[in-house]
Each structure stands twice: as structure tokens, then as C-alpha cells.
């Protein structure tokens, strides 16, 4: 039997981030394609599938890379949790590539129904792959979407740090990924109106690029023609840093010293079990 590499290194971590983000997008973009193009499901099924995609993606990648699956998470952990800055760009690249490949698979699999629902591949189904202000129809401008993405991603990082802080009441028994998935479901149900809750630059840009290369000529613009693609990249990064900073300011600095762990890494199920056994 071949022995597993006990120290995967950066290449292994990038592979894990690629695979975990790919799983996330296969379920997330896949469910939007099913609802928007085939009329099967609704907003709630979209929110639940995105949350389940996050849960499953975290389970895939957590042991190797910490399962960031989101450049906003990676950058926030570098700023506040000691995650290595030299790994930030490789992680973000792997996450974006995972999202891109997953979106290509969804685009290929749903080709027939997408073309039937929207033969011109217009703004009508562009939202299957990438977000739009007001979800393409509601009276929300670009700066309203920018504000929304800062707030939504700040919520995401604030709660992720609370859920993964072993000095706090972190979920035990391998349930951390499940609760993080429920967090994404809650954000989708409460903060999905103004900008489609991208809250993840890789989640938006990877599928946006995939759709552009497969026939959606307006993929980088919103329904008004504005060059919108940068907003779901920049705003979540700002929001992630704000949310992580607020957690450290309001909660983290008042907690007792935590057990040693890999700097900046989201605790994995095995680490959670170890903490529980020490308790």
C-alpha cells in the first residue's frame, strides 16, 4: 500500500483549496442553474444548497489546508491570525481556479436548459454564474451592492472566527463545517437581496470568467452596463478584514489563552476532537 505524504506542503494545500472550492461551486452554481433555467426550486433551495456546498467543501479540504475556500477568509486570517502572507496569493489562485472549473462543469451540464430559457445568454441567466446588484432586477445601485458585500462578509468572518476559536465555544464532534454551512444559509436568507451574497471573490470571479468564455459576453457588467465585476472582489475583502477585526476587538482579546494550533488555520475536525478530549 502506498504511504500518504504526511507533509503535503503548499502544493497539497493548494490542491485542497482547489478541490474544496470546486465542491462548493458545483452545488452553489448548480442549484442556481436548476432554479433559474429549469424552474425547479426557489430561493430557499438556493440558500440551502449553498450552505451545504460550504459544509461539504470544508469537509473535503479542512485537514490539509484549513478549508478557507474564500480569498476574503485567507486575507483576514493573514491580517489577524498569523496565516503566512506568502500563501495568500497561491490560496486565492487555487480557490479561483476551483470555482472556475466547477462553473465550467455546471455550464456544460446545463447547456440545453440554459439555451432554452435564454437563447441569447443574456442578463436573464447571467446571475446563474455571478452576482448582480439587486439580483439584476431590484432597484439597488452599484454602491448599494458594495455596501452590502462589506456588511455580509463582515458577518461571515466575525462568526467564522467565533466558531473556529478554540478558546471560545467552538462546535465539537466534527460539527464545525456544518455550523459554518448554516451560517452561509442564514446569510443567504437574510442578506441575499442587494447583491446576491457573493461574500467570496473566488466564488464570483471564477464563475464569471467561465460564463464569459462560454458565451455570456456581458458577464463582467451588470444590468445597467456598469463594469461591475470588481465589486464582489474588493468589497468582500474589505468586509472580511472588518469582520475579523471586530471579532478580535469585541470578543477574541477577552478570551483565555487558546491551545497552540497552526497559525491562521481554521481548526479541523481532528483538532476539535483533540480539544474535546482535553476538556
Amino acid at each position: 500500500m502506498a504511504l500518504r505524504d504526511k507533509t503535503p506542503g503548499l502544493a497539497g494545500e493548494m490542491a485542497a483549496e482547489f478541490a474544496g472550492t470546486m465542491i462548493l461551486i458545483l452545488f452553489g452554481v448548480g442549484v442556481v442553474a436548476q432554479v433559474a433555467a429549469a424552474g425547479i426550486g426557489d430561493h430557499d433551495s438556493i440558500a440551502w444548497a449553498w450552505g451545504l456546498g460550504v459544509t461539504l467543501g470544508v469537509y473535503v479540504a479542512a485537514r490539509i489546508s484549513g478549508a478557507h475556500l474564500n480569498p476574503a477568509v485567507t486575507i483576514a486570517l493573514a491580517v489577524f491570525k498569523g496565516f503566512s502572507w506568502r500563501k495568500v496569493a497561491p490560496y486565492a489562485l487555487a480557490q479561483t481556479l476551483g470555482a472556475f472549473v466547477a462553473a465550467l462543469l455546471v455550464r456544460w451540464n446545463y447547456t440545453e436548459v440554459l439555451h432554452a430559457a435564454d437563447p441569447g445568454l443574456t442578463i436573464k441567466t447571467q446571475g446563474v454564474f455571478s452576482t448582480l446588484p439587486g439580483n439584476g432586477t431590484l432597484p439597488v445601485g452599484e454602491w448599494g451592492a458594495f455596501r452590502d458585500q462589506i456588511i455580509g462578509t463582515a458577518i461571515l468572518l466575525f462568526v467564522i472566527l467565533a466558531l473556529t476559536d478554540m478558546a471560545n465555544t467552538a462546535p465539537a464532534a466534527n460539527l464545525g463545517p456544518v455550523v459554518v454551512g448554516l451560517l452561509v444559509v442564514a446569510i443567504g436568507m437574510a442578506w441575499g437581496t442587494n447583491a446576491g451574497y457573493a461574500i467570496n471573490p473566488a466564488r464570483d470571479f471564477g464563475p464569471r470568467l467561465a460564463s464569459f468564455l462560454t458565451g455570456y459576453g456581458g458577464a463582467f457588467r451588470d444590468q445597467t452596463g456598469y463594469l461591475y465585476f470588481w465589486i464582489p472582489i474588493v468589497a468582500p475583502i474589505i468586509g472580511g478584514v472588518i469582520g475579523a477585526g471586530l471579532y478580535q476587538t469585541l470578543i477574541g482579546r477577552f478570551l483565555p489563552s487558546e491551545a497552540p494550533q497552526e497559525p491562521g488555520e481554521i481548526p479541523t475536525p481532528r483538532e476539535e476532537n483533540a480539544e474535546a478530549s482535553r476538556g
Side-chain angles (χ1 to χ4, degrees), residues 23 82 150 196 219 231 238 241 257 262 276:
I23 293 298
I150 291 176
I231 288 178
I238 295 171
V241 172
S257 298
E262 185 70 15

Side-chain angles (χ1 to χ4, degrees):
M1 179 183 296
L3 295 176
R4 293 185 180 181
D5 186 353
K6 299 298 184 182
T7 55
L10 181 58
E13 293 169 23
M14 290 178 67
E17 287 295 306
F18 173 91
T21 310
M22 183 173 66
I23 293 298
L24 160 62
I25 298 301
L26 285 173
F27 285 97
V29 172
V31 73
V32 182
Q34 182 167 269
V35 172
I40 300 172
D42 55 19
H43 172 270
D44 288 354
S45 63
I46 290 173
W48 278 106
W50 274 110
L52 289 169
V54 168
T55 294
L56 298 173
V58 172
Y59 275 125
V60 164
R63 178 71 272 179
I64 297 174
S65 68
H68 301 181
L69 313 186
N70 182 341
V73 172
T74 300
I75 291 170
L77 293 179
V79 173
F80 291 103
K81 288 293 187 177
F83 184 75
S84 173
W85 278 102
R86 72 177 181 83
K87 294 184 178 182
V88 168
Y91 266 50
L93 176 62
Q95 293 153 1
T96 304
L97 285 174
F100 174 76
V101 171
L104 285 179
L105 287 170
V106 172
R107 174 71 176 86
W108 180 35
N109 189 58
Y110 280 95
T111 294
E112 295 86 357
V113 292
L114 284 168
H115 281 270
D118 182 16
L121 300 179
T122 67
I123 200 77
K124 180 180 178 182
T125 57
Q126 181 179 316
V128 167
F129 299 95
S130 53
T131 58
L132 294 161
N135 291 309
T137 59
L138 298 171
V140 178
E142 290 80 18
W143 292 108
F146 191 89
R147 174 195 65 226
D148 174 88
Q149 286 301 284
I150 291 176
I151 296 170
T153 316
I155 295 169
L156 177 73
L157 263 296
F158 188 101
V159 181
I160 281 178
L161 262 61
L163 293 173
T164 58
D165 191 338
M166 299 311 297
N168 205 338
T169 52
N174 295 348
L175 288 177
V178 175
V179 184
V180 172
L182 289 174
L183 166 62
V184 173
V185 173
I187 291 173
M189 289 184 170
W191 291 87
T193 296
N194 284 4
Y197 71 106
I199 56 175
N200 180 340
R203 169 266 174 273
D204 193 84
F205 184 75
R208 191 181 294 273
L209 179 60
S211 66
F212 177 77
L213 294 176
T214 57
Y216 284 85
F220 290 100
R221 299 183 181 275
D222 65 15
Q223 62 271 27
T224 69
Y226 179 77
L227 198 63
Y228 179 79
F229 79 96
W230 65 273
I231 288 178
I233 296 174
V234 175
I237 291 172
I238 295 171
V241 172
I242 291 173
L246 285 172
Y247 176 79
Q248 290 296 101
T249 300
L250 298 175
I251 304 295
R253 67 193 181 101
F254 297 112
L255 293 170
S257 298
E258 60 180 301
Q261 64 186 60
E262 185 70 15
E265 185 176 40
I266 294 179
T268 64
R270 192 174 302 177
E271 288 166 338
E272 292 172 355
N273 286 340
E275 288 295 327
S277 66
R278 280 195 286 270

